[in-house]
Amino acid sequence: MDNELVIVLDFGGQYNQLIARRVRECNVYCEVHPYTLGIEKIKEMKPKGIIFTGGPDSVYGEKSPRCGKEVLELGIPVLGICYGAQLMAYLLGGQVKTAPVSEFGKTEVKIDISSDLFHNVSTDIIAWMSHTDYIAEVPEGFRICASTPVCPVAAMEYKEKRFYATQFHPEVMHTQEGTKILSNFVYNVCGCNGSWKMSSFVEDAIKSLREKAGKGKVLCALSGGVDSSVAAVLLSKAVGKQLTCVFADHGLLRKNEGDEVEAVFGPEGPYDLNFIRVNCQERFYEKLKGITEPEQKRRIIGEEFIRVFEEEAKKIGAVDFLVQGTIYPDVIESGLGKSAVIKSHHNVGGLPDCVDFKEIIEPLRMLFKDEVRKAGIELGIPENLVFRQPFPGPGLGIRIIGEVTAEKCHIVQEADAIYREEIAKAGLDRDLGQYFAALTNMRSVGVMGDGRTYDYAVVLRAVNTSDFMTAEPARIPWEVLEKAASRIVNEVKGVNRVLYDCTGKPPATIEFE
């Protein structure tokens, strides 16, 4: 990587990758690494700046994650955020204590704009707080440059040593002018020039993948979704005919999606790929028979995916690498590292312990969904593919509450197709982050014509989001919901009730299970 670099040292918070994403938005390349990254490795990487993340621990805890003080003796600018701010204070001789009043959520912060960190930032902003400890006394040489009514050190700086710290989270969208604050750090403090673009990622990824694969055979697990499609084209440009894309049509896809995927990536499509479609619907239905617990469903689907790919790899002969379209929200929600497990993604936490491949390659692992789409555009993938609706790897297996059956899959496929059609007719399809229909496990009494029904309830969901780590429920016009609901109960056998999910993320996830 020839670009200037900012590294993020991860202390276990949920927003850690958001920091890297915001830095990249400033056209500065950024990577996330564990806090245990050795000092010699940091020197070797020659970062222009270092950012300490938040985390769930107390810095004075016996087993709390702490890097060595030597990180602060490299002469490299450092920004501490939340736990990272407290850690900086702790390592340099300040005092961190349990706060008399905890702060969570949106908080009014008074800013001293004479700080380089807050150049051109408003004197009063709303920022996102999430802490029960606080900096009670700043270390020698520091001065306070932001505060709240209950948090005297909302930010501090040691200008000469280029140390900065914020108790609030500038990386989350709820913090006003948060991106400007991070931009001030990378430009005003670190002296970056902003030369990194998504085109840089694509070029570097192709080069790196070509070197890694060598002359080995590569198998790509292609679902037809945005992530795996971008990964497939990226690998195709890197290794050409060494790549074979295997599409497992497991019966858990959207209506007609199997044929649509084959039309794009198959022999009649625009890409010069080796393409294999495996029709394995009954195999997956049988594995999921009687299973109702969502994590178990994810694990079963994840393992069966791998087994299908292993079988196809043996037919091809001597496949060295398996490629997956894993992206960062998959990783962090699966609880890798210190973060809490939210849900095991089929291609991360759902993987079996033993797989018959030399290595699994995940070229998009450090990207958010919107960054994946930018990479897709850079690769020349048509916009209708790049901006298609996201679809989870476990498919309808996690959009059906309870046991998954062929009958239930048909119900949700039909309902989802109607909903997506009405959203598109209303011209809302490009404005929404994600929208879909799911099938509940609830049956209720209804009346159709002169007869009583006892059928399923379908739930419609739509959210606005850019990074898929947080999301707001979309305010779909009533007439659109009414039309979709009317069509679903009239056209889809087995459904007599339609609900709309108006829950954000958090507390919910975007998907239904």
Side-chain angles (χ1 to χ4, degrees):
M1 178 62 64
D2 297 326
N3 296 287
E4 55 194 4
L5 169 69
V6 170
I7 63 172
V8 174
L9 293 186
D10 179 1
F11 292 91
Q14 287 291 327
Y15 303 130
N16 300 339
Q17 191 65 16
L18 279 174
I19 300 170
R21 181 175 178 274
R22 301 299 183 221
V23 172
R24 291 180 197 173
E25 287 174 354
C26 301
N27 295 325
V28 175
Y29 185 70
C30 188
E31 294 180 353
V32 179
H33 293 276
Y35 71 92
T36 53
L37 187 69
I39 195 72
E40 293 305 317
K41 181 64 176 175
I42 294 175
K43 289 178 182 178
E44 180 185 320
M45 296 170 75
K46 298 179 181 178
K48 299 275 283 188
I50 299 172
I51 300 177
F52 292 173
T53 74
D57 299 281
S58 295
V59 295
Y60 44 76
E62 193 173 312
K63 296 184 179 180
S64 296
R66 289 194 287 268
C67 61
K69 187 179 176 182
E70 60 268 22
V71 176
L72 298 168
E73 297 170 347
L74 294 171
I76 299 171
V78 179
L79 171 64
I81 296 174
C82 196
Y83 177 89
Q86 296 166 11
L87 179 62
M88 182 184 290
Y90 179 86
L91 292 174
L92 295 174
Q95 287 193 14
V96 178
K97 297 181 179 179
T98 302
V101 179
S102 299
E103 287 180 308
F104 293 98
K106 295 178 180 178
T107 306
E108 293 183 7
V109 180
K110 289 202 168 292
I111 299 293
D112 180 350
I113 59 174
S114 68
S115 168
D116 288 342
L117 191 65
F118 299 126
H119 178 65
N120 281 336
V121 174
S122 304
T123 54
D124 293 275
I125 65 169
I126 299 297
W128 189 259
M129 289 282 196
S130 182
H131 68 103
T132 54
D133 290 345
Y134 79 122
I135 299 170
E137 183 179 319
V138 301
E140 184 178 349
F142 281 78
R143 76 178 188 94
I144 297 169
C145 50
S147 62
T148 77
V150 298
C151 182
V153 188
M156 65 179 187
E157 68 171 6
Y158 193 153
K159 183 173 181 177
E160 291 74 19
K161 292 193 175 182
R162 297 184 295 174
F163 293 159
Y164 294 83
T166 64
Q167 184 60 67
F168 58 87
H169 289 269
E171 71 274 22
V172 302
M173 65 181 182
H174 305 293
T175 294
Q176 295 173 346
E177 305 183 65
T179 299
K180 187 184 291 184
I181 293 168
L182 289 172
S183 175
N184 284 336
F185 177 69
V186 298
Y187 286 108
N188 297 349
V189 178
C190 300
C192 295
N193 59 38
S195 59
W196 186 77
K197 306 287 192 299
M198 185 51 68
S199 57
S200 306
F201 167 81
V202 170
E203 291 168 8
D204 292 331
I206 290 173
K207 180 181 176 182
S208 174
L209 290 167
R210 189 174 291 136
E211 291 174 354
K212 179 183 284 289
K215 295 183 179 180
K217 289 184 180 179
V218 182
L219 186 150
C220 179
L222 180 64
S223 71
V226 176
D227 306 328
S228 67
S229 296
V230 172
V233 176
L234 194 63
L235 262 295
S236 176
K237 289 184 178 293
V239 301
K241 283 294 188 178
Q242 292 169 236
L243 173 68
T244 298
C245 290
V246 174
F247 169 51
D249 187 351
H250 46 42
L252 306 173
L253 299 170
R254 289 172 285 206
K255 184 178 180 180
N256 300 327
E257 192 152 34
D259 293 337
E260 291 171 2
V261 170
E262 184 167 1
V264 173
F265 290 99
E268 304 302 319
Y271 301 107
D272 186 22
L273 300 172
N274 297 314
F275 178 82
I276 298 172
R277 178 176 178 174
V278 183
N279 294 308
C280 46
Q281 296 90 339
E282 294 305 320
R283 172 177 179 167
F284 275 77
Y285 293 150
E286 185 62 30
K287 287 285 184 179
L288 293 167
K289 195 172 184 178
I291 306 300
T292 60
E293 204 277 319
E295 281 295 285
Q296 192 176 359
K297 286 195 285 186
R298 288 175 184 275
R299 287 191 292 271
I300 289 170
I301 294 169
E303 177 164 355
E304 205 59 21
F305 259 122
I306 290 292
R307 299 310 172 213
V308 169
F309 299 137
E310 285 176 340
E311 290 167 15
E312 293 304 314
K314 287 175 182 175
K315 294 176 187 177
I316 297 167
V319 173
D320 300 294
F321 303 97
L322 172 67
V323 176
Q324 297 191 133
T326 306
I327 64 174
Y328 190 75
D330 299 342
V331 175
I332 196 157
E333 288 185 342
S334 295
L336 302 191
K338 286 180 60 64
S339 301
V341 175
I342 297 171
K343 52 186 180 181
S344 295
H345 288 258
H346 76 290
N347 50 352
V348 187
L351 290 176
D353 293 332
C354 181
V355 296
D356 194 17
F357 295 100
K358 177 180 175 182
E359 187 176 344
I360 293 177
I361 298 175
E362 298 168 319
L364 310 177
R365 187 182 178 88
M366 296 294 284
L367 299 186
F368 282 88
K369 182 74 72 176
D370 57 326
E371 293 180 317
V372 172
R373 288 191 167 117
K374 289 177 184 175
I377 295 297
E378 287 291 334
L379 287 163
I381 301 175
E383 287 197 8
N384 66 312
L385 291 181
V386 173
F387 290 97
R388 72 182 302 178
Q389 271 294 293
F391 192 63
L396 301 183
I398 58 170
R399 291 182 181 176
I400 294 172
I401 306 301
E403 183 183 14
V404 177
T405 66
E407 177 194 10
K408 287 182 178 180
C409 284
H410 178 74
I411 289 173
V412 75
Q413 283 171 340
E414 295 296 325
D416 181 70
I418 290 169
Y419 182 42
R420 287 187 289 123
E421 183 179 324
E422 292 302 324
I423 289 288
K425 281 182 183 177
L428 300 173
D429 48 323
R430 287 290 291 269
D431 297 330
L432 299 171
Q434 191 166 343
Y435 55 93
F436 59 88
L439 184 64
T440 74
N441 203 27
M442 179 183 79
R443 302 181 79 175
S444 63
V445 174
V447 57
M448 298 183 76
D450 294 323
R452 176 187 185 273
T453 62
Y454 188 64
D455 287 326
Y456 287 108
V458 161
V459 174
L460 306 181
R461 182 143 174 78
V463 298
N464 292 315
T465 182
S466 59
D467 53 40
F468 288 77
M469 293 297 289
T470 60
E472 300 286 345
R475 300 186 180 215
I476 304 295
W478 175 252
E479 58 270 20
V480 177
L481 291 175
E482 187 176 35
K483 180 69 179 297
S486 176
R487 285 191 59 195
I488 289 169
V489 295
N490 280 288
E491 297 176 31
V492 183
K493 186 179 179 181
V495 178
N496 67 359
R497 196 175 294 266
V498 177
L499 313 172
Y500 184 69
D501 183 350
C502 56
T503 317
K505 175 187 180 181
T509 59
I510 292 176
E511 285 297 337
F512 219 64
E513 276 199 329

